[in-house]
Coordinates of all heavy atoms in Angstrom, one line a residue:
L155 N 136.6 92.0 96.5 CA 135.8 90.8 96.2 C 135.5 90.7 94.7 O 134.9 91.7 94.1 CB 134.5 90.8 96.9 CG 133.5 89.6 96.8 CD1 134.2 88.3 97.4 CD2 132.2 89.9 97.4
P156 N 136.0 89.7 94.0 CA 135.8 89.7 92.5 C 134.3 89.4 92.1 O 133.9 89.8 91.0 CB 136.7 88.6 92.0 CG 136.9 87.7 93.2 CD 136.8 88.6 94.4
S157 N 133.6 88.6 92.9 CA 132.2 88.2 92.6 C 131.5 87.9 93.8 O 132.1 87.4 94.8 CB 132.2 87.0 91.6 OG 130.9 86.5 91.5
R158 N 130.2 88.1 93.8 CA 129.3 87.7 94.9 C 129.1 86.2 95.0 O 128.6 85.7 96.0 CB 128.0 88.4 94.9 CG 128.0 89.8 95.5 CD 128.4 89.7 97.0 NE 128.2 91.0 97.7 CZ 127.2 91.3 98.5 NH1 126.3 90.3 98.8 NH2 127.1 92.4 99.1
D159 N 129.5 85.4 94.0 CA 129.3 84.0 94.0 C 130.1 83.4 95.2 O 131.3 83.6 95.4 CB 129.8 83.4 92.7 CG 128.9 83.8 91.5 OD1 127.8 84.2 91.7 OD2 129.4 83.7 90.4
G160 N 129.4 82.6 96.0 CA 130.0 81.9 97.1 C 130.2 82.8 98.3 O 130.8 82.4 99.3
W161 N 129.7 84.1 98.3 CA 129.9 85.0 99.4 C 129.3 84.5 100.7 O 129.9 84.5 101.8 CB 129.3 86.4 99.1 CG 129.6 87.4 100.1 CD1 130.7 88.2 100.2 CD2 128.8 87.7 101.3 NE1 130.5 89.0 101.3 CE2 129.4 88.7 102.0 CE3 127.5 87.2 101.7 CZ2 128.8 89.2 103.2 CZ3 127.0 87.7 102.9 CH2 127.6 88.7 103.6
A162 N 128.1 83.9 100.6 CA 127.4 83.5 101.8 C 128.2 82.4 102.5 O 128.3 82.3 103.8 CB 126.0 83.0 101.5
E163 N 128.7 81.5 101.7 CA 129.5 80.4 102.3 C 130.8 80.9 103.0 O 131.2 80.4 104.0 CB 129.9 79.3 101.3 CG 128.7 78.5 100.8 CD 127.7 79.3 99.9 OE1 128.1 80.3 99.3 OE2 126.6 78.8 99.7
R164 N 131.4 81.9 102.4 CA 132.6 82.5 103.0 C 132.3 83.3 104.2 O 133.0 83.3 105.2 CB 133.3 83.4 101.9 CG 133.8 82.7 100.7 CD 134.4 83.6 99.6 NE 135.6 84.2 100.0 CZ 136.3 85.1 99.2 NH1 135.9 85.3 98.0 NH2 137.4 85.6 99.7
W165 N 131.1 83.9 104.2 CA 130.6 84.6 105.5 C 130.5 83.6 106.6 O 131.0 83.8 107.7 CB 129.3 85.3 105.2 CG 128.7 85.9 106.4 CD1 129.0 87.2 106.9 CD2 127.9 85.3 107.4 NE1 128.3 87.4 108.1 CE2 127.6 86.3 108.4 CE3 127.3 84.1 107.5 CZ2 126.8 86.0 109.5 CZ3 126.4 83.8 108.6 CH2 126.2 84.8 109.6
E166 N 129.8 82.5 106.3 CA 129.6 81.4 107.3 C 130.9 80.9 107.8 O 131.1 80.6 109.0 CB 128.8 80.3 106.6 CG 128.5 79.1 107.6 CD 127.3 79.4 108.4 OE1 126.6 80.4 108.3 OE2 127.0 78.5 109.3
S167 N 131.9 80.7 106.9 CA 133.2 80.2 107.3 C 133.9 81.1 108.3 O 134.5 80.7 109.3 CB 134.1 79.9 106.1 OG 135.4 79.5 106.4
F168 N 133.8 82.4 107.9 CA 134.5 83.4 108.8 C 133.8 83.4 110.2 O 134.5 83.4 111.2 CB 134.4 84.8 108.2 CG 135.1 85.8 109.0 CD1 136.4 86.1 109.0 CD2 134.3 86.6 109.9 CE1 137.0 87.0 109.8 CE2 134.9 87.6 110.7 CZ 136.2 87.8 110.6
M169 N 132.5 83.4 110.2 CA 131.7 83.4 111.5 C 132.0 82.2 112.3 O 132.0 82.3 113.6 CB 130.3 83.7 111.2 CG 129.9 85.0 110.7 SD 130.4 86.3 111.9 CE 130.3 87.8 110.8
R170 N 132.1 81.1 111.7 CA 132.4 79.8 112.4 C 133.8 79.7 113.0 O 134.0 78.9 113.9 CB 132.1 78.6 111.5 CG 130.6 78.3 111.3 CD 130.4 77.1 110.4 NE 129.0 76.8 110.2 CZ 128.3 76.0 111.0 NH1 128.9 75.5 112.0 NH2 127.0 75.7 110.7
S171 N 134.7 80.5 112.4 CA 136.1 80.4 112.9 C 136.1 80.9 114.4 O 135.3 81.7 114.8 CB 137.0 81.3 112.0 OG 136.6 82.6 112.1
P172 N 137.1 80.5 115.1 CA 137.1 80.8 116.6 C 137.2 82.3 116.9 O 137.9 83.0 116.2 CB 138.4 80.0 117.1 CG 138.7 79.0 116.1 CD 138.2 79.6 114.7
V173 N 136.6 82.6 118.0 CA 136.7 84.0 118.5 C 138.2 84.1 119.1 O 138.6 83.2 119.8 CB 135.7 84.3 119.6 CG1 136.0 85.5 120.4 CG2 134.3 84.3 119.0
I174 N 138.8 85.2 118.7 CA 140.2 85.4 119.2 C 140.3 85.8 120.6 O 139.7 86.9 121.0 CB 140.9 86.4 118.3 CG1 140.9 85.9 116.8 CG2 142.4 86.6 118.7 CD1 141.4 86.9 115.8
P175 N 140.9 85.1 121.5 CA 141.0 85.5 122.9 C 141.8 86.8 123.1 O 142.7 87.2 122.3 CB 141.6 84.4 123.6 CG 142.4 83.7 122.5 CD 141.7 83.9 121.3
A176 N 141.5 87.5 124.2 CA 142.3 88.7 124.5 C 143.7 88.3 124.9 O 143.9 87.2 125.5 CB 141.6 89.5 125.6
P177 N 144.7 89.1 124.7 CA 146.0 88.8 125.2 C 146.0 88.6 126.7 O 145.3 89.3 127.4 CB 146.9 90.0 124.8 CG 146.1 90.7 123.7 CD 144.6 90.4 124.0
R178 N 146.9 87.7 127.2 CA 147.0 87.5 128.6 C 147.7 88.7 129.3 O 147.4 89.0 130.4 CB 147.7 86.2 128.9 CG 146.9 85.0 128.5 CD 147.6 83.7 129.0 NE 146.8 82.5 128.7 CZ 147.2 81.3 129.0 NH1 148.3 81.1 129.7 NH2 146.4 80.3 128.7
E179 N 148.6 89.3 128.5 CA 149.3 90.4 129.1 C 149.8 91.3 127.9 O 150.0 90.8 126.8 CB 150.5 90.1 130.0 CG 151.6 89.3 129.3 CD 152.8 89.1 130.2 OE1 152.8 89.8 131.2 OE2 153.6 88.3 129.9
L180 N 150.0 92.5 128.1 CA 150.6 93.4 127.2 C 151.8 94.1 127.7 O 151.9 94.4 128.9 CB 149.5 94.5 126.8 CG 148.2 94.0 126.2 CD1 147.2 95.2 126.1 CD2 148.5 93.5 124.8
K181 N 152.8 94.3 126.9 CA 154.0 94.9 127.3 C 154.2 96.3 126.5 O 154.2 96.3 125.3 CB 155.3 94.0 126.9 CG 155.3 92.7 127.7 CD 156.5 91.9 127.3 CE 156.5 90.6 128.1 NZ 157.7 89.7 127.7
P182 N 154.1 97.4 127.3 CA 154.3 98.6 126.6 C 155.7 98.9 126.1 O 156.6 98.2 126.7 CB 153.9 99.6 127.7 CG 154.2 98.9 129.0 CD 153.9 97.5 128.7
P183 N 155.9 99.7 125.1 CA 157.3 99.9 124.7 C 158.1 100.6 125.8 O 157.6 101.5 126.5 CB 157.1 100.8 123.4 CG 155.7 101.4 123.6 CD 154.9 100.4 124.3
S184 N 159.3 100.2 125.9 CA 160.2 100.8 126.9 C 160.5 102.3 126.6 O 160.7 102.6 125.4 CB 161.5 100.0 127.1 OG 162.2 100.0 125.9
G185 N 160.5 103.1 127.6 CA 160.9 104.5 127.3 C 159.8 105.4 126.9 O 160.0 106.6 126.7
F186 N 158.6 104.8 126.6 CA 157.5 105.7 126.2 C 156.7 106.1 127.4 O 156.2 105.3 128.2 CB 156.6 104.9 125.2 CG 155.5 105.8 124.6 CD1 155.7 106.4 123.4 CD2 154.3 105.9 125.2 CE1 154.8 107.2 122.9 CE2 153.3 106.7 124.7 CZ 153.5 107.4 123.5
E187 N 156.6 107.4 127.5 CA 155.8 108.0 128.6 C 154.5 108.5 128.1 O 154.4 109.3 127.1 CB 156.6 109.1 129.3 CG 157.9 108.7 130.0 CD 158.5 109.8 130.7 OE1 157.9 110.9 130.8 OE2 159.6 109.6 131.3
L188 N 153.4 108.0 128.7 CA 152.1 108.4 128.4 C 151.8 109.8 128.9 O 151.7 110.0 130.1 CB 151.1 107.4 128.9 CG 149.6 107.6 128.4 CD1 149.5 107.3 126.9 CD2 148.7 106.6 129.2
E189 N 151.8 110.8 128.0 CA 151.7 112.2 128.5 C 150.3 112.4 129.1 O 149.3 112.0 128.6 CB 151.9 113.2 127.4 CG 150.9 113.1 126.2 CD 151.4 112.2 125.1 OE1 151.8 111.1 125.4 OE2 151.2 112.5 124.0
R190 N 150.3 113.1 130.2 CA 149.0 113.4 130.9 C 148.6 114.8 130.6 O 148.7 115.8 131.4 CB 149.2 113.2 132.4 CG 149.4 111.7 132.8 CD 148.2 110.9 132.5 NE 148.4 109.5 132.8 CZ 147.5 108.6 132.6 NH1 146.3 108.9 132.2 NH2 147.8 107.3 132.9
T191 N 148.1 115.0 129.4 CA 147.7 116.4 129.0 C 146.3 116.6 129.6 O 145.6 115.7 130.1 CB 147.7 116.5 127.5 OG1 146.7 115.5 127.0 CG2 149.0 116.1 126.9
D192 N 145.8 117.8 129.4 CA 144.5 118.2 129.8 C 143.5 117.3 129.1 O 142.5 116.9 129.6 CB 144.2 119.6 129.5 CG 144.9 120.6 130.5 OD1 145.4 120.1 131.5 OD2 144.9 121.8 130.2
F193 N 143.8 117.0 127.8 CA 142.9 116.1 127.0 C 142.7 114.8 127.7 O 141.6 114.3 127.8 CB 143.5 116.0 125.6 CG 142.7 115.1 124.7 CD1 141.6 115.6 124.0 CD2 143.1 113.8 124.5 CE1 140.9 114.8 123.1 CE2 142.4 113.0 123.6 CZ 141.3 113.5 122.9
L194 N 143.8 114.2 128.1 CA 143.7 112.9 128.7 C 143.1 112.9 130.1 O 142.3 112.1 130.5 CB 145.1 112.2 128.8 CG 145.7 111.8 127.5 CD1 147.2 111.4 127.6 CD2 145.0 110.6 127.0
R195 N 143.4 114.0 130.9 CA 142.9 114.1 132.2 C 141.4 114.2 132.2 O 140.6 113.6 132.9 CB 143.5 115.3 133.0 CG 144.9 115.0 133.5 CD 145.2 115.9 134.6 NE 145.2 117.3 134.2 CZ 146.2 118.0 133.7 NH1 147.3 117.4 133.5 NH2 146.1 119.2 133.3
R196 N 140.9 115.0 131.3 CA 139.4 115.3 131.2 C 138.7 114.0 130.7 O 137.5 113.8 131.0 CB 139.1 116.5 130.3 CG 139.5 117.8 130.9 CD 139.1 118.9 130.0 NE 139.8 118.9 128.8 CZ 139.6 119.9 127.8 NH1 138.8 120.9 128.0 NH2 140.3 119.8 126.7

Side-chain angles (χ1 to χ4, degrees):
L155 183 68
S157 168
R158 274 302 188 106
D159 293 340
W161 183 90
E163 290 74 18
R164 294 174 71 178
W165 178 88
E166 180 84 5
S167 175
F168 180 84
M169 290 298 163
R170 284 180 179 271
S171 62
V173 169
I174 300 169
R178 292 186 176 183
E179 65 174 344
L180 297 171
K181 296 179 180 179
S184 60
F186 186 89
E187 293 187 5
L188 190 64
E189 63 269 46
R190 293 293 176 179
T191 64
D192 288 344
F193 178 80
L194 288 168
R195 281 202 302 271
R196 287 185 298 184

